[in-house]
Amino acid sequence: MPDLLATRAGRLTAFFLLYATEGIPLGFTAVAIATQMRRQGLDPAAIGFFVGSLYLPWAFKWVMGPFVDTFTSDRFGRRRTWILGAQVAMAAMLFVAMPVDYVTQLGLFTAIIFVHNACAATMDVAIDALAVNVLPEHERGVANGFMFAGASIGQAIGGAGVLYLAALMPFPSTYFFVAGTILLVTVFVVLPLREPPGPPREATGKSALAAAAADIGRFVREAWQAFTGSRGALVGLVAAVLPFGAYALSLALSSNIAVELGMSDTEIGNLTLVGTIVFAIACVGAGWLSDRFGRRSTLAVCVFLTVVPTLWLAWKMQQFGWIMPVDVKASNRPTPDSSLLATFWVTNIAFNVFQGAYYGIRSALYMDVTTPKVAATQFTAYMALSNLVISYTSWWQGLAMVRWGYPVTLVLDSAAGLVVLLLVPLMTARRAARAATATP
């Protein structure tokens, strides 16, 4: 089998497929399994906690960086070893989780999937490190595009694809499909890779564990110095722990409502697939707009627009009296009006347009306020905090749905998402960056 790292087309293909293995299990757990949980009668608070736990390892993946750098094998490839081990562990965790009843044993199931996601987050660190080492500078832009496209396609396969399969086979059988897709990449992409040897390691006189601990301490110090180095960076830190716009229609609330409205797995799969496609297109298009019309203004507009479909859905649900979560197994459960179903479809698609639009712009804005000297440290920390926001937002929304109902949760989600607009105007780029991009 060919070593994909040996050619430009091979490298782009390899990183596309490697990132797809990150997206597939996330789509499987956050969309397909969350949908089945609601279908089996699990309450929204429990599902919100489960979905929130999925993103927690990604919020702290930076901790694994020093270990990936320190505990390596030159014989099998410094990054390749971690990628290979993580993929095998991810598949193994899915097989361990398969017989566990997530309704009656939710705690155990969540713990297993948490380990699964911790392996995926560690793999992400190793993949990024491999990309830095093997991609020539002139390939990095297009390669990053392929990588995020791979993650998006992977989520569609794990979410929409599995929901399609669930209409044809027992849902537990889909675990084999997800694990199989990961292991196919392991066999046909990772195993044939011939990772170039890394630079010689410096002799520090420390054990590998002590060296990793020292690197973690250095990361924290450098990140704090970078955050406090400019007003834009410090404001960016505060903004990073806040939601950018509404989030509810991208989390467990959307899956809960879809099941309660009587949508089949195939219909939810269709909605997920369309949403993923428009999200990816909007991400690219809005990035171009931000280069043309200014980062902060386009970001603020896109963040605000995520609130519009969210509040529209809240109003329509209030209007039709669909307030509290319903028992999906009840024989006398209410039948939704066709216009409410249509509203749910339209609001989900519109939301994915606006959220996809700001995702790309937000990353670019964080690059603007990042200090080049510590770019890897500072930018990684910003992205990690963004994942933490997704985690805690999913948790509180699950509790809010059960206590106050869907319309109130959607309104609270919108209000929380607008707070960050007070900070976006203050996230000014570094003077050096403005000078470098100024027109002579």
Side-chain angles (χ1 to χ4, degrees), residues 327-411:
D327 184 356
V328 295
K329 294 186 174 183
S331 57
N332 60 341
R333 55 182 295 186
T335 301
D337 189 275
S338 59
S339 63
L340 179 57
L341 276 169
T343 298
F344 182 68
W345 256 92
V346 172
T347 52
N348 266 272
I349 300 303
F351 175 83
N352 274 283
V353 171
F354 302 137
Q355 190 181 57
Y358 89 65
Y359 253 66
I361 303 173
R362 180 181 63 176
S363 296
L365 182 58
Y366 276 129
M367 289 182 182
D368 290 342
V369 301
T370 293
T371 304
K373 182 180 178 182
V374 289
T377 299
Q378 187 178 358
F379 188 76
T380 297
Y382 282 139
M383 295 299 100
L385 290 173
S386 298
N387 286 316
L388 182 62
V389 172
I390 299 175
S391 182
Y392 77 67
T393 299
S394 180
W395 289 347
W396 78 255
Q397 287 184 4
L399 296 172
M401 282 183 271
V402 173
R403 183 163 187 172
W404 299 307
Y406 292 122
V408 171
T409 301
L410 291 166
V411 171

Side-chain angles (χ1 to χ4, degrees), residues 5-376:
L5 297 182
T7 64
R8 180 179 186 274
R11 287 188 289 272
L12 297 180
T13 302
F15 285 109
F16 173 87
L17 293 173
L18 288 172
Y19 256 64
T21 60
E22 297 180 18
I24 289 171
L26 189 58
F28 177 59
T29 50
V31 177
I33 288 182
T35 298
Q36 297 304 314
M37 284 179 168
R38 190 69 186 106
R39 207 175 289 287
Q40 296 298 320
L42 210 59
D43 71 85
I47 298 173
F49 176 82
F50 171 74
V51 173
S53 71
L54 301 179
Y55 293 91
L56 204 54
W58 296 87
F60 296 97
K61 66 178 184 177
W62 55 269
V63 174
M64 292 305 300
F67 293 95
V68 171
D69 285 337
T70 304
F71 294 91
T72 59
S73 168
D74 288 318
R75 178 182 178 184
F76 298 105
R78 296 186 182 181
R79 319 303 181 189
R80 176 176 170 271
T81 302
W82 281 93
I83 296 170
L84 177 63
Q87 289 184 343
V88 172
M90 288 163 63
M93 287 298 102
L94 288 174
F95 292 132
V96 172
M98 184 171 61
V100 179
D101 187 338
Y102 44 68
V103 175
T104 60
Q105 298 174 289
L106 180 61
L108 175 60
F109 185 82
T110 301
I112 296 171
I113 297 300
F114 181 89
V115 174
H116 169 84
N117 274 279
C119 294
T122 301
M123 179 181 68
D124 177 69
V125 173
I127 292 172
D128 289 346
L130 178 65
V132 170
N133 288 343
V134 305
L135 287 174
E137 186 174 351
H138 64 274
E139 287 182 9
R140 290 176 183 170
V142 66
N144 272 273
F146 271 84
M147 289 155 75
F148 283 103
S152 181
I153 295 299
Q155 289 188 43
I157 293 172
V162 167
L163 288 174
Y164 292 146
L165 287 176
L168 305 174
M169 63 177 66
F171 187 77
S173 299
T174 62
Y175 285 77
F176 291 102
F177 168 75
V178 177
T181 55
I182 296 172
L183 293 177
L184 281 174
V185 175
T186 304
V187 172
F188 292 103
V189 177
V190 180
L191 283 177
L193 289 182
R194 297 295 177 265
E195 181 182 351
R201 296 184 178 87
E202 296 181 7
T204 62
K206 298 179 180 179
S207 66
L209 188 60
D215 285 344
I216 292 174
R218 189 181 306 111
F219 177 95
V220 173
R221 290 192 301 272
E222 290 181 352
W224 179 250
Q225 291 169 0
F227 287 144
T228 57
S230 68
R231 185 188 71 176
L234 186 57
V235 173
L237 174 63
V238 179
V241 297
L242 296 174
F244 273 73
Y247 272 40
L249 292 181
S250 63
L251 297 175
L253 179 142
S254 184
S255 298
N256 289 334
I257 295 177
V259 173
E260 291 183 21
L261 293 181
M263 294 177 66
S264 67
D265 286 343
T266 299
E267 291 170 332
I268 297 174
N270 292 337
L271 180 59
T272 302
L273 181 60
V274 174
T276 301
I277 292 172
V278 300
F279 182 98
I281 295 173
C283 189
V284 175
W288 177 82
L289 288 174
S290 74
D291 288 337
R292 186 175 180 86
F293 297 107
R295 205 88 69 201
R296 290 175 292 165
S297 57
T298 51
L299 176 62
V301 170
C302 293
V303 166
F304 177 78
L305 288 176
T306 63
V307 169
V308 176
T310 305
L311 290 178
W312 184 23
L313 180 61
W315 175 65
K316 295 297 286 186
M317 295 190 78
Q318 184 74 37
Q319 186 180 45
F320 283 99
W322 207 284
I323 310 298
M324 302 301 295
V326 301
D327 184 356
V328 295
K329 294 186 174 183
S331 57
N332 60 341
R333 55 182 295 186
T335 301
D337 189 275
S338 59
S339 63
L340 179 57
L341 276 169
T343 298
F344 182 68
W345 256 92
V346 172
T347 52
N348 266 272
I349 300 303
F351 175 83
N352 274 283
V353 171
F354 302 137
Q355 190 181 57
Y358 89 65
Y359 253 66
I361 303 173
R362 180 181 63 176
S363 296
L365 182 58
Y366 276 129
M367 289 182 182
D368 290 342
V369 301
T370 293
T371 304
K373 182 180 178 182
V374 289

